[in-house]
Amino acid sequence: MTLTARLPASPDPDALFDAFASWAADQGLSLYPAQEEALMEIVSGANVILSTPTGSGKSLVATGAHFTALAHGQRTFYTAPIKALVSEKFFALCETFGAENVGMMTGDSSVNGSAPIICCTAEILANIALRDGAAAEVGQVVMDEFHFYAEPDRGWAWQIPLIELPRAQFVLMSATLGDVTRFKDDLTRRTGRDTAVVTSAQRPVPLLYSFGMTSLTEALEELLGTNQAPVYVVHFTQAAALERAQALMSINVCTREEKERIAALIGDFRFSSGFGKTLSRLVRHGIGVHHAGMLPKYRRLVERLAQAGLMKIVCGTDTLGVGINVPIRTVVFTALSKYDGVRTRILKAREFHQIAGRAGRAGYDTLGTVLVQAPEHVIENEKSLAKLGDDPKKRRKFVRKKPPEGMVSWGLPTFERLRDAEPEPLTSSFQVSHSMLLNVIGRPGDAFAAMRHLLEDNHEDRAAQRRHIRRAIAIYRGLLESGVVEKLDEPDEQGRRVRLTVDLQFDFALNQPLSPFALAAVELLDRESPSYPLDLLSIVESTLDDPRQVLSAQAHKARGEAVQAMKAEGIEYDQRMELLEAVTHPKPLAELLGPMFETYRRGHPWVGDHQLSPKSVVRDMYERAMTFTEYVSFYALARSEGLVLRYLADAYRAVRQTVPDEAKTEEVADLIEWLGELVRQVDSSLLDEWEKLTNPTEDGQAPVDTAPPAVTTNTRAFRVLVRNALFHRVQLAARRDYTALGDLDGDAGWDAEAWADALDPYYDLHSQIGVGPDARGPALLIIEQEAERWLVRQIFEDPAGDHDWGFTAEIDLTASDEAGAAVVHITAVGEL
């Protein structure tokens, strides 16, 4: 029975509270005092600001709020800062209220968008508030992780609903809000409702803080020995988390029986080479790694093992502050400083408490532990001083080790200050953009009055408001000059004094904001050109967010290759350094897209809020004919393979959604199928969940972890995988890279020497092997499909055009399904 079935006949506050409390009791949940207080205020119609520690049951209060809104026939919105949390909440609420009553909007997809309960990102709700203003069909707003209000780039989305939705009931939740007096007064003024602040410093599971002066290894051995696992060891870089995990392999973390249970739970889980093999060794030893750069399937594996009590130590980044699904008894800080993208600084009190609050599990632990490790140089100094004893002369002469160069110094006083400090007050991060003005202008009524309200009644100080007003005026003038909006002599029937002259799709500013430009640019391509499919892909890639680690690795590789080429040409060092400044990651079509974008922007000024960024990741992988594993290895991206895969998945969704069917030639369709299958075989969850969300089943259940479908079942995509695997060998043969060819085919008897012996006669006749578009075309590839294998012949494009050299191979279909990639066995190389 869903919670919806418990709705009382009348939305009387007492009846609502009793019905919900009864349901909670049936789930085995006892309400804490803070939960009871918050729920009483909610059913009574008040706004609630809920500031209670992590693990104190804020999610249950949110569920009670949705229950209350349903009882009153109101539409209720739940917002979270990241799509993963929105998705997680969507599935949880489907189970609680029934799939027919819950919808989701993330920008990527919309599911059951007319449902009475909507889970969405904060930006989606802000967009609705801007578009519809006070008339928006929003009766209640539950904003989780409200401390994101202070985020410099995204905080505007948490502020806009507070300004624009005066009829809504608000429930603002976070464990680290700080002083919220001004929010309390502001909400009451805007909504006319009482606003209750529900706080509690008392955690269901109290925390014990300590400052460690022994080595981390010693500290972890003590924690394991005193039954304080699972331990989450917090680092502030992904590289440090992995390095620490590998260094801890010397600790005996698990018993033999526990290792057997780990092996049984892992079962036939597919670990790829590179990081996958490293993670396999770590988790079998009882040590997990968890950070955003990992593949989702690896993170979920670590989470499952931790939930089963089998991951005694998890080394990860501070992503646990946003709420990861890992049970934690002890949190260990390896540092109290972090690089925030601009500079290295001491943690804010909010950040410290957000992370520390993950220690201790309600219902499992009676005490949570937070251990902050002193800097290594401080520990070494204390050990050295201890060896000197009480001899004052020796102690005076002792030269203390200094912190590493560039380190922001911190120690015991920093720890004590952060431990005792309240979270910093939230600061406003209001922003004005083209999309804001377009949304406001698009709504009925006086847009000037609506913008004045937004610009003068936000939470900024007066000086900042004046800056926003000047920017809004500049944007408005640009929209007028470009003809996107027009001023009317008389208000129209909906009271507009200014109106849009273009139609904008819903969420145009959120769901690939540059997609309309990509669509226009694709129309200008020559569909008969051999490069059309990849040029189309480059246009789509230019509209996606930059995967910075990938682009940095590409630039590094390009500079290395450029240095070698310049040395071979005898270019002097100083000139080489000057020339290297112009070497960057590949940017196909940049010279074409730049002017095209400027022209497009004149008629669509709002795209100026976003940057076009030509790049080549998918195209680069395709042109190099590499598998995902080969590509990650080529650019040394093992620590960021999750980022690579997310980019590929985003590119796949964008090209599927952006490119109209009439622009999808057979070659483009092949490329799309290849990309989708590539992503699915590496980690099917990224696409499976998206497909599930866009085509939900009636039960509304979350996707379960399943192996991807057999790679050979998608014949079209598999043909591209085979074609790429063969052409990769053509490229290596063209470079005479016999070592790499031997690495690929040595197990089949074709080592480097065999490849060299087979190709020497070819190079006696021809100077090169072609690798252009024609060389990888279907005319030079013959495939005979049989039940258990494919027989293939890859023909070289020789300068004479004889096409009488190449190699033959068998494609093992069974082995390909097991590997998730084309398994090639070379049978012959030479004259055909």
Side-chain angles (χ1 to χ4, degrees):
M1 180 182 293
T2 64
L3 178 54
T4 312
R6 301 288 189 99
L7 287 170
S10 171
D12 173 73
D14 291 336
L16 279 171
F17 181 85
D18 290 344
F20 184 78
S22 173
W23 171 83
D26 290 346
Q27 312 305 308
L29 303 172
S30 298
L31 298 178
Y32 298 124
Q35 290 174 314
E36 287 188 345
E37 182 183 352
L39 287 167
M40 287 178 180
E41 296 288 353
I42 289 170
V43 299
S44 299
N47 300 313
V48 170
I49 302 175
L50 182 60
S51 180
T52 57
T54 303
S56 59
K58 288 185 285 294
S59 293
L60 188 62
V61 174
T63 303
H66 299 315
F67 181 72
T68 301
L70 288 181
H72 286 279
Q74 296 175 332
R75 203 155 184 241
T76 171
F77 282 70
Y78 168 89
T79 74
I82 59 176
K83 294 174 184 178
L85 288 181
V86 172
S87 173
E88 182 181 308
K89 191 69 174 180
F90 166 74
F91 289 119
L93 290 177
C94 282
E95 187 174 344
T96 301
F97 289 98
E100 70 280 4
N101 292 310
V102 186
M104 188 190 71
M105 301 177 187
T106 63
D108 284 341
S109 57
S110 177
V111 179
N112 198 17
S114 60
I117 303 173
I118 294 293
C119 301
C120 63
T121 53
E123 284 84 354
I124 290 288
L125 179 61
N127 204 36
I128 292 172
L130 287 170
R131 186 194 61 192
D132 296 335
E137 189 187 351
V138 181
Q140 183 191 76
V141 175
V142 179
M143 303 189 87
D144 206 354
E145 308 290 350
F146 186 71
H147 56 272
F148 271 76
Y149 168 96
E151 286 288 305
D153 295 329
R154 301 183 60 201
W156 66 271
W158 275 259
Q159 184 172 166
I160 290 295
L162 306 182
I163 302 171
E164 290 292 285
L165 301 175
R167 291 163 36 189
Q169 177 188 34
F170 285 90
V171 180
L172 313 180
M173 307 189 304
S174 173
T176 54
L177 288 178
D179 182 10
V180 295
T181 303
R182 65 190 179 91
F183 289 105
K184 176 180 183 295
D185 297 340
D186 187 67
L187 274 177
T188 297
R189 175 179 68 87
R190 294 178 186 277
T191 65
R193 300 171 184 263
D194 290 337
T195 301
V197 177
V198 180
T199 61
S200 173
Q202 184 175 359
R203 290 172 46 93
V205 179
L207 295 181
L208 176 65
Y209 291 88
S210 60
F211 191 74
M213 290 298 295
T214 60
S215 71
L216 180 57
T217 301
E218 292 174 289
L220 290 173
E221 287 178 331
E222 182 178 347
L223 290 170
L224 292 172
T226 53
N227 195 31
Q228 295 187 69
V231 180
Y232 197 102
V233 187
V234 182
H235 304 77
F236 293 98
T237 67
Q238 297 172 3
L242 178 58
E243 289 168 5
R244 181 74 64 184
Q246 292 173 306
L248 294 175
M249 286 288 284
S250 59
I251 298 179
N252 188 18
V253 175
C254 290
T255 64
R256 180 183 296 274
E257 179 186 355
E258 287 169 331
K259 289 180 180 178
E260 291 173 354
R261 288 174 58 201
I262 291 172
L265 198 152
I266 289 174
D268 57 357
F269 183 92
R270 185 194 289 173
F271 291 96
S272 61
S273 58
F275 176 76
K277 299 303 181 186
T278 300
L279 182 65
S280 178
R281 290 193 299 270
L282 290 169
V283 296
R284 293 176 194 279
H285 195 72
I287 300 172
V289 180
H290 197 287
H291 59 69
M294 295 167 58
L295 296 178
K297 66 178 182 180
Y298 291 155
R299 292 202 306 272
R300 285 197 310 276
L301 175 66
V302 171
E303 290 167 9
R304 282 206 309 273
L305 291 169
Q307 289 156 6
L310 297 173
M311 287 293 95
K312 301 297 182 67
I313 298 174
V314 179
C315 296
T317 56
D318 56 334
T319 51
L320 84 162
V322 182
I324 61 167
N325 193 19
V326 174
I328 302 166
R329 180 168 293 173
T330 300
V331 168
V332 176
F333 285 81
T334 58
L336 291 178
S337 62
K338 65 181 288 187
Y339 180 71
D340 62 6
V342 178
R343 60 189 176 90
T344 301
R345 58 167 174 79
I346 298 296
L347 295 181
K348 297 177 181 177
R350 170 170 291 104
E351 293 168 326
F352 177 79
H353 288 294
Q354 197 72 29
I355 298 169
R358 302 296 298 179
R361 300 163 296 172
Y364 295 90
D365 301 325
T366 57
L367 185 71
T369 300
V370 179
L371 171 64
V372 175
Q373 281 293 109
E376 290 184 7
H377 70 280
V378 173
I379 295 174
E380 291 180 19
N381 285 335
E382 290 301 315
K383 286 183 176 179
S384 298
L385 285 170
K387 290 179 181 178
L388 297 178
D390 297 327
D391 188 328
K393 289 185 179 179
K394 291 182 179 179
R395 295 179 74 90
R396 276 197 303 271
K397 292 180 180 179
F398 175 70
V399 179
R400 292 177 178 269
K401 284 193 172 183
K402 296 181 180 179
E405 187 175 349
M407 173 184 172
V408 174
S409 185
W410 56 270
L412 180 60
T414 310
F415 159 67
E416 292 175 337
R417 177 181 61 80
L418 290 173
R419 179 197 62 194
D420 299 335
E422 291 293 323
E424 297 85 359
L426 296 174
T427 56
S428 173
S429 298
F430 189 83
Q431 293 180 11
V432 176
S433 64
H434 285 81
S435 62
M436 176 184 286
L437 264 72
L438 288 167
N439 270 310
V440 172
I441 291 171
R443 74 165 78 153
D446 186 346
F448 296 106
M451 279 306 301
R452 185 179 300 112
H453 169 67
L454 267 171
L455 294 169
E456 295 185 349
D457 196 19
N458 53 51
H459 298 164
E460 302 276 280
D461 60 38
R462 189 56 188 161
Q465 287 179 348
R466 283 194 289 267
R467 289 196 301 272
H468 296 316
I469 291 169
R470 287 194 294 270
R471 173 161 169 74
I473 292 171
I475 291 174
Y476 172 67
R477 287 173 176 166
L479 293 173
L480 274 177
E481 290 170 6
S482 63
V484 175
V485 302
E486 61 181 0
K487 195 171 181 180
L488 304 177
D489 295 332
E490 297 290 337
D492 66 11
E493 64 278 4
Q494 292 186 307
R496 295 187 180 97
R497 296 161 55 196
V498 61
R499 68 183 177 193
L500 298 175
T501 61
V502 295
D503 292 326
L504 300 175
Q505 74 274 21
F506 179 61
D507 293 341
F508 78 96
L510 297 172
N511 188 6
Q512 297 301 337
L514 296 182
S515 291
F517 165 74
L519 191 60
V522 166
E523 292 298 318
L524 300 179
L525 294 179
D526 177 8
R527 297 185 188 181
E528 301 303 318
S529 169
S531 64
Y532 170 73
L534 293 178
D535 288 345
L536 180 150
L537 182 62
S538 290
I539 289 174
V540 173
E541 284 202 74
S542 71
T543 68
L544 301 177
D545 291 337
D546 287 348
R548 297 193 181 280
Q549 291 93 322
V550 182
L551 303 188
S552 176
Q554 287 179 329
H556 180 74
K557 175 76 73 172
R559 291 187 186 108
E561 293 172 351
V563 166
Q564 295 303 318
M566 286 186 278
K567 284 183 177 178
E569 294 175 18
I571 298 175
E572 295 297 325
Y573 176 82
D574 290 341
Q575 188 180 358
R576 290 203 306 265
M577 293 301 100
E578 183 178 342
L579 292 172
L580 277 178
E581 292 182 6
V583 178
T584 182
H585 61 85
K587 298 179 180 180
L589 304 188
E591 293 183 0
L592 171 68
L593 290 175
M596 191 183 298
F597 185 66
E598 288 303 315
T599 301
Y600 184 83
R601 186 161 59 180
R602 294 191 195 106
H604 307 78
W606 61 87
V607 302
D609 291 338
H610 310 279
Q611 291 295 319
L612 192 73
S613 178
K615 52 188 165 291
S616 177
V617 178
V618 182
R619 180 172 184 158
D620 185 39
M621 182 181 292
Y622 187 85
E623 288 183 322
R624 293 183 184 277
M626 287 182 170
T627 65
F628 179 84
T629 301
E630 290 168 343
Y631 195 77
V632 166
S633 175
F634 181 74
Y635 285 114
L637 290 165
R639 290 172 176 164
S640 301
E641 59 183 2
L643 171 77
V644 179
L645 187 69
R646 280 195 298 277
Y647 178 86
L648 298 180
D650 287 344
Y652 171 67
R653 288 195 290 260
V655 75
R656 273 189 61 183
Q657 292 175 329
T658 301
V659 179
D661 289 341
E662 59 269 20
K664 293 176 181 175
T665 63
E666 285 295 310
E667 292 79 8
V668 171
D670 283 348
L671 191 151
I672 293 173
E673 286 295 321
W674 160 77
L675 181 55
E677 196 61 34
L678 177 79
V679 173
R680 188 169 283 110
Q681 290 300 320
V682 175
D683 189 333
S684 63
S685 64
L686 283 177
L687 295 186
D688 288 347
E689 181 163 319
W690 181 57
E691 297 286 357
K692 172 76 176 185
L693 293 175
T694 52
N695 299 286
T697 57
E698 291 185 2
D699 61 8
Q701 296 298 305
V704 295
D705 292 327
T706 57
V711 69
T712 58
T713 57
N714 186 340
T715 305
R716 185 170 202 159
F718 187 62
R719 286 180 69 91
V720 181
L721 291 175
V722 170
R723 194 164 71 217
N724 284 354
L726 299 178
F727 192 69
H728 185 39
R729 288 163 171 82
V730 173
Q731 291 174 318
L732 294 175
R735 296 200 297 267
R736 306 191 195 194
D737 191 344
Y738 302 128
T739 300
L741 285 166
D743 291 340
L744 285 174
D745 302 311
D747 292 342
W750 286 90
D751 59 14
E753 185 177 354
W755 270 99
D757 290 344
L759 290 176
D760 281 347
Y762 173 89
Y763 281 112
D764 289 340
L765 297 171
H766 304 291
S767 60
Q768 64 182 20
I769 296 175
V771 292
D774 292 336
R776 71 184 302 159
L780 298 184
L781 176 63
I782 300 171
I783 299 178
E784 297 177 16
Q785 296 179 209
E786 297 183 359
E788 299 296 329
R789 62 178 185 168
W790 287 5
L791 303 178
V792 299
R793 178 182 299 173
Q794 176 66 60
I795 302 168
F796 293 154
E797 185 186 35
D798 59 87
D802 295 332
H803 295 161
D804 55 354
W805 277 77
F807 58 86
T808 58
E810 292 183 0
I811 311 300
D812 188 328
L813 302 187
T814 301
S816 296
D817 285 337
E818 292 176 357
V823 174
V824 179
H825 297 303
I826 300 296
T827 56
V829 180
E831 193 169 6
L832 301 174

Short mmCIF file of all heavy atoms in Angstrom, two decimals, residues 791-822:
data_model
loop_
_atom_site.label_atom_id
_atom_site.label_comp_id
_atom_site.label_asym_id
_atom_site.label_seq_id
_atom_site.Cartn_x
_atom_site.Cartn_y
_atom_site.Cartn_z
N LEU A 791 34.13 -13.79 -40.80
CA LEU A 791 35.39 -13.81 -41.54
C LEU A 791 35.54 -12.46 -42.24
O LEU A 791 34.62 -12.02 -42.96
CB LEU A 791 35.39 -14.94 -42.58
CG LEU A 791 35.14 -16.35 -42.01
CD1 LEU A 791 35.12 -17.37 -43.14
CD2 LEU A 791 36.21 -16.70 -41.00
N VAL A 792 36.66 -11.79 -42.02
CA VAL A 792 36.82 -10.43 -42.55
C VAL A 792 38.12 -10.31 -43.34
O VAL A 792 39.10 -11.01 -43.08
CB VAL A 792 36.81 -9.38 -41.41
CG1 VAL A 792 35.47 -9.43 -40.67
CG2 VAL A 792 37.94 -9.62 -40.42
N ARG A 793 38.07 -9.41 -44.29
CA ARG A 793 39.26 -9.09 -45.07
C ARG A 793 39.39 -7.57 -45.12
O ARG A 793 38.48 -6.88 -45.60
CB ARG A 793 39.15 -9.66 -46.48
CG ARG A 793 40.36 -9.34 -47.37
CD ARG A 793 40.17 -9.89 -48.76
NE ARG A 793 40.04 -11.34 -48.75
CZ ARG A 793 39.74 -12.08 -49.82
NH1 ARG A 793 39.55 -11.48 -50.99
NH2 ARG A 793 39.64 -13.38 -49.73
N GLN A 794 40.49 -7.05 -44.58
CA GLN A 794 40.76 -5.61 -44.59
C GLN A 794 41.81 -5.33 -45.66
O GLN A 794 42.93 -5.84 -45.60
CB GLN A 794 41.27 -5.13 -43.24
CG GLN A 794 41.66 -3.67 -43.20
CD GLN A 794 40.47 -2.73 -43.38
OE1 GLN A 794 39.53 -2.76 -42.59
NE2 GLN A 794 40.51 -1.91 -44.43
N ILE A 795 41.44 -4.53 -46.65
CA ILE A 795 42.31 -4.24 -47.78
C ILE A 795 43.00 -2.89 -47.56
O ILE A 795 42.37 -1.92 -47.11
CB ILE A 795 41.49 -4.20 -49.08
CG1 ILE A 795 40.77 -5.55 -49.29
CG2 ILE A 795 42.38 -3.88 -50.29
CD1 ILE A 795 39.72 -5.53 -50.39
N PHE A 796 44.30 -2.83 -47.86
CA PHE A 796 45.04 -1.58 -47.73
C PHE A 796 44.77 -0.67 -48.92
O PHE A 796 44.59 -1.15 -50.07
CB PHE A 796 46.55 -1.84 -47.68
CG PHE A 796 47.02 -2.58 -46.45
CD1 PHE A 796 48.18 -3.34 -46.48
CD2 PHE A 796 46.31 -2.51 -45.27
CE1 PHE A 796 48.64 -4.00 -45.36
CE2 PHE A 796 46.75 -3.18 -44.14
CZ PHE A 796 47.91 -3.93 -44.19
N GLU A 797 44.75 0.63 -48.66
CA GLU A 797 44.70 1.61 -49.75
C GLU A 797 46.14 1.95 -50.11
O GLU A 797 46.81 2.70 -49.40
CB GLU A 797 43.94 2.87 -49.33
CG GLU A 797 43.79 3.85 -50.50
CD GLU A 797 43.18 5.17 -50.08
OE1 GLU A 797 43.47 5.62 -48.95
OE2 GLU A 797 42.45 5.76 -50.88
N ASP A 798 46.63 1.38 -51.21
CA ASP A 798 48.01 1.60 -51.63
C ASP A 798 48.06 2.75 -52.62
O ASP A 798 47.06 3.08 -53.27
CB ASP A 798 48.58 0.33 -52.24
CG ASP A 798 47.77 -0.14 -53.44
OD1 ASP A 798 48.05 0.33 -54.56
OD2 ASP A 798 46.82 -0.94 -53.23
N PRO A 799 49.20 3.41 -52.76
CA PRO A 799 49.30 4.57 -53.66
C PRO A 799 48.97 4.25 -55.11
O PRO A 799 48.44 5.10 -55.83
CB PRO A 799 50.78 4.99 -53.53
CG PRO A 799 51.20 4.46 -52.20
CD PRO A 799 50.45 3.19 -52.02
N ALA A 800 49.22 3.02 -55.54
CA ALA A 800 48.96 2.66 -56.93
C ALA A 800 47.49 2.34 -57.18
O ALA A 800 47.05 2.24 -58.32
CB ALA A 800 49.82 1.46 -57.32
N GLY A 801 46.73 2.16 -56.09
CA GLY A 801 45.33 1.82 -56.25
C GLY A 801 45.09 0.38 -56.66
O GLY A 801 44.01 0.03 -57.14
N ASP A 802 46.08 -0.49 -56.43
CA ASP A 802 45.92 -1.91 -56.80
C ASP A 802 44.99 -2.66 -55.84
O ASP A 802 44.33 -3.61 -56.21
CB ASP A 802 47.29 -2.61 -56.82
CG ASP A 802 48.19 -2.05 -57.92
OD1 ASP A 802 47.64 -1.56 -58.93
OD2 ASP A 802 49.42 -2.09 -57.74
N HIS A 803 45.02 -2.26 -54.58
CA HIS A 803 44.16 -2.88 -53.54
C HIS A 803 44.35 -4.40 -53.51
O HIS A 803 43.38 -5.16 -53.45
CB HIS A 803 42.68 -2.55 -53.79
CG HIS A 803 42.37 -1.09 -53.67
ND1 HIS A 803 41.25 -0.52 -54.21
CD2 HIS A 803 43.06 -0.07 -53.08
CE1 HIS A 803 41.25 0.79 -53.95
NE2 HIS A 803 42.35 1.08 -53.27
N ASP A 804 45.60 -4.84 -53.54
CA ASP A 804 45.87 -6.27 -53.54
C ASP A 804 46.67 -6.71 -52.32
O ASP A 804 47.22 -7.81 -52.28
CB ASP A 804 46.62 -6.67 -54.81
CG ASP A 804 47.91 -5.87 -55.02
OD1 ASP A 804 48.15 -4.93 -54.23
OD2 ASP A 804 48.65 -6.18 -55.97
N TRP A 805 46.74 -5.83 -51.30
CA TRP A 805 47.41 -6.18 -50.04
C TRP A 805 46.46 -5.90 -48.88
O TRP A 805 45.58 -5.04 -48.97
CB TRP A 805 48.68 -5.35 -49.84
CG TRP A 805 49.89 -5.91 -50.56
CD1 TRP A 805 50.18 -5.82 -51.88
CD2 TRP A 805 50.94 -6.66 -49.95
NE1 TRP A 805 51.34 -6.46 -52.16
CE2 TRP A 805 51.85 -6.98 -50.99
CE3 TRP A 805 51.22 -7.08 -48.66
CZ2 TRP A 805 53.01 -7.71 -50.77
CZ3 TRP A 805 52.39 -7.79 -48.43
CH2 TRP A 805 53.27 -8.11 -49.47
N GLY A 806 46.67 -6.61 -47.79
CA GLY A 806 45.87 -6.39 -46.59
C GLY A 806 46.03 -7.55 -45.63
O GLY A 806 47.08 -8.22 -45.60
N PHE A 807 45.01 -7.81 -44.84
CA PHE A 807 45.07 -8.94 -43.91
C PHE A 807 43.66 -9.52 -43.73
O PHE A 807 42.65 -8.85 -44.02
CB PHE A 807 45.67 -8.54 -42.56
CG PHE A 807 44.95 -7.43 -41.84
CD1 PHE A 807 43.87 -7.70 -41.00
CD2 PHE A 807 45.37 -6.11 -41.97
CE1 PHE A 807 43.22 -6.68 -40.33
CE2 PHE A 807 44.73 -5.08 -41.30
CZ PHE A 807 43.64 -5.37 -40.47
N THR A 808 43.63 -10.77 -43.29
CA THR A 808 42.36 -11.44 -43.02
C THR A 808 42.31 -11.79 -41.54
O THR A 808 43.35 -11.91 -40.86
CB THR A 808 42.21 -12.71 -43.85
OG1 THR A 808 43.31 -13.59 -43.58
CG2 THR A 808 42.17 -12.39 -45.33
N ALA A 809 41.10 -11.95 -41.04
CA ALA A 809 40.93 -12.24 -39.62
C ALA A 809 39.60 -12.93 -39.38
O ALA A 809 38.70 -12.91 -40.23
CB ALA A 809 41.01 -10.95 -38.80
N GLU A 810 39.50 -13.55 -38.21
CA GLU A 810 38.24 -14.09 -37.73
C GLU A 810 37.78 -13.27 -36.53
O GLU A 810 38.60 -12.88 -35.69
CB GLU A 810 38.40 -15.56 -37.29
CG GLU A 810 38.66 -16.52 -38.43
CD GLU A 810 38.73 -17.96 -37.94
OE1 GLU A 810 38.56 -18.18 -36.71
OE2 GLU A 810 38.95 -18.86 -38.77
N ILE A 811 36.49 -13.00 -36.45
CA ILE A 811 35.91 -12.31 -35.31
C ILE A 811 35.16 -13.34 -34.48
O ILE A 811 34.17 -13.91 -34.94
CB ILE A 811 34.95 -11.18 -35.76
CG1 ILE A 811 35.61 -10.29 -36.82
CG2 ILE A 811 34.49 -10.37 -34.56
CD1 ILE A 811 36.87 -9.60 -36.37
N ASP A 812 35.64 -13.61 -33.30
CA ASP A 812 35.04 -14.59 -32.40
C ASP A 812 33.83 -13.95 -31.71
O ASP A 812 34.00 -13.08 -30.85
CB ASP A 812 36.08 -15.05 -31.37
CG ASP A 812 35.58 -16.20 -30.52
OD1 ASP A 812 34.36 -16.29 -30.26
OD2 ASP A 812 36.42 -17.02 -30.09
N LEU A 813 32.63 -14.34 -32.08
CA LEU A 813 31.42 -13.69 -31.55
C LEU A 813 31.21 -13.99 -30.08
O LEU A 813 30.82 -13.11 -29.30
CB LEU A 813 30.20 -14.13 -32.37
CG LEU A 813 30.26 -13.84 -33.88
CD1 LEU A 813 28.92 -14.17 -34.53
CD2 LEU A 813 30.63 -12.39 -34.16
N THR A 814 31.44 -15.23 -29.66
CA THR A 814 31.27 -15.58 -28.25
C THR A 814 32.24 -14.80 -27.37
O THR A 814 31.86 -14.23 -26.34
CB THR A 814 31.46 -17.09 -28.04
OG1 THR A 814 30.51 -17.80 -28.85
CG2 THR A 814 31.25 -17.46 -26.57
N ALA A 815 33.50 -14.79 -27.79
CA ALA A 815 34.50 -14.04 -27.02
C ALA A 815 34.20 -12.54 -27.03
O ALA A 815 34.44 -11.84 -26.04
CB ALA A 815 35.90 -14.30 -27.58
N SER A 816 33.66 -12.03 -28.13
CA SER A 816 33.32 -10.61 -28.21
C SER A 816 32.22 -10.26 -27.21
O SER A 816 32.27 -9.21 -26.56
CB SER A 816 32.86 -10.26 -29.63
OG SER A 816 33.91 -10.43 -30.56
N ASP A 817 31.23 -11.15 -27.07
CA ASP A 817 30.17 -10.90 -26.10
C ASP A 817 30.72 -10.88 -24.68
O ASP A 817 30.31 -10.07 -23.84
CB ASP A 817 29.08 -11.96 -26.22
CG ASP A 817 28.19 -11.76 -27.44
OD1 ASP A 817 28.13 -10.61 -27.91
OD2 ASP A 817 27.59 -12.73 -27.91
N GLU A 818 31.67 -11.75 -24.40
CA GLU A 818 32.26 -11.79 -23.06
C GLU A 818 33.09 -10.54 -22.80
O GLU A 818 33.10 -10.00 -21.68
CB GLU A 818 33.13 -13.03 -22.91
CG GLU A 818 32.35 -14.34 -22.91
CD GLU A 818 33.26 -15.55 -22.85
OE1 GLU A 818 34.51 -15.37 -22.88
OE2 GLU A 818 32.74 -16.69 -22.80
N ALA A 819 33.79 -10.05 -23.82
CA ALA A 819 34.67 -8.89 -23.65
C ALA A 819 33.94 -7.57 -23.80
O ALA A 819 34.43 -6.54 -23.34
CB ALA A 819 35.81 -8.96 -24.66
N GLY A 820 32.77 -7.57 -24.46
CA GLY A 820 32.07 -6.32 -24.72
C GLY A 820 32.75 -5.51 -25.81
O GLY A 820 32.52 -4.31 -25.92
N ALA A 821 33.56 -6.15 -26.63
CA ALA A 821 34.27 -5.49 -27.73
C ALA A 821 34.58 -6.55 -28.78
O ALA A 821 34.49 -7.75 -28.53
CB ALA A 821 35.56 -4.83 -27.24
N ALA A 822 34.94 -6.10 -29.97
CA ALA A 822 35.26 -7.03 -31.04
C ALA A 822 36.57 -7.76 -30.73
O ALA A 822 37.61 -7.12 -30.53
CB ALA A 822 35.36 -6.29 -32.37
#
